[in-house]
Amino acid sequence: MAKERVTVCLPPCAPDDLRPALAAAMAPFEYDAQTDRPDEEWQGEWDYWYVSSGGLEFTVRSGHEDDPLIVRDGRGEGRPPRPRELCDGGPKGLLDLDTGRRHAAEAAGRRWDTWRAFSALHPPSLPYSHFRTKSHEDPGAYPEHRVLEDFARQPVIRAIQDDPALDERFGFDPVGWFGEDRDAFVERDVDAVLPTIALLTLDGRWLSGGSDPYNVYFNEYVDSLPDDTILVRVLYHG
């Protein structure tokens, strides 16, 4: 059991009707719900939930921070105040979905450029997957312990592992991570900005994520919605 977040898509409604609308949308996915169960093995997705972004806030379009349609979690006493430009949801047309994507694109481009400049100072290297595949294909001739040894022996990998700052910047397998072309690398980071681990669509589908194809679909789906569609971040325990 863990706490995760789902982005719930709702048709337009008045602020006073939001909580009932959320409850109605979430209800079919309650644990052990007795109605509309797809099969006997199905248990549901949650046992409790509440509105919460937890670092996945939406940005409010400038000038709309005080719009009554903006959804906020009603932070209680003792919780730090949140900048007015951040919120838990609202009509899509009042949310700025592009600034975060733009910042992610700029940052990803800089990371890709920095890696390419650094890796150019070393002989060409192979990704970790190359050595793993080699071991899986013939474990007798190429045992498991050789995988990490040969991967780490490459000059650029050795340089990164010897420097914690480089390791933090480039990660364990930068050859694989930065291996695609710049545009594809940037697009992957941009696609990861908005999605939560789950998406509840307007037509009542609960979609689970955690993959690049899911992130692509999440963005395409949200971008296709009418501007009056309400998007809300919900934390659920499941």
Side-chain angles (χ1 to χ4, degrees), residues 132-209:
R132 288 286 296 174
T133 300
K134 186 176 178 182
S135 178
H136 288 161
E137 289 176 347
D138 193 350
Y142 194 72
E144 189 74 18
H145 71 85
R146 290 274 307 279
V147 173
L148 274 176
E149 293 174 0
D150 290 352
F151 172 72
R153 191 176 291 120
Q154 300 178 106
V156 70
I157 303 301
R158 189 166 62 246
I160 291 171
Q161 293 182 348
D162 289 344
D163 187 332
L166 291 176
D167 185 55
E168 182 177 357
R169 178 184 300 178
F170 296 133
F172 169 74
D173 182 22
V175 182
W177 183 248
F178 294 95
E180 55 201 344
D181 67 59
R182 190 181 193 275
D183 288 346
F185 178 82
V186 169
E187 184 176 0
R188 184 178 64 189
D189 270 26
V190 170
D191 285 339
V193 170
L194 287 181
T196 45
I197 197 65
L199 172 68
L200 182 49
T201 65
L202 275 177
D203 57 354
R205 291 174 293 134
W206 184 289
L207 307 177
S208 297

Side-chain angles (χ1 to χ4, degrees), residues 64-83:
H64 296 279
E65 292 84 357
D66 296 320
D67 194 298
L69 295 176
I70 293 298
V71 181
R72 304 187 190 276
D73 63 7
R75 296 187 160 215
E77 185 177 351
R79 298 185 66 190
R82 184 165 54 186

Side-chain angles (χ1 to χ4, degrees), residues 2 21 50-51 58-59 74 85 101 125 128 136 144 155 161 185 187 206 229 234:
Y50 51 87
V51 172
F58 289 110
T59 301
E85 67 271 16
R101 289 164 165 169
S125 299
Y128 181 73
H136 288 161
E144 189 74 18
Q161 293 182 348
F185 178 82
E187 184 176 0
W206 184 289
T229 303
V234 168

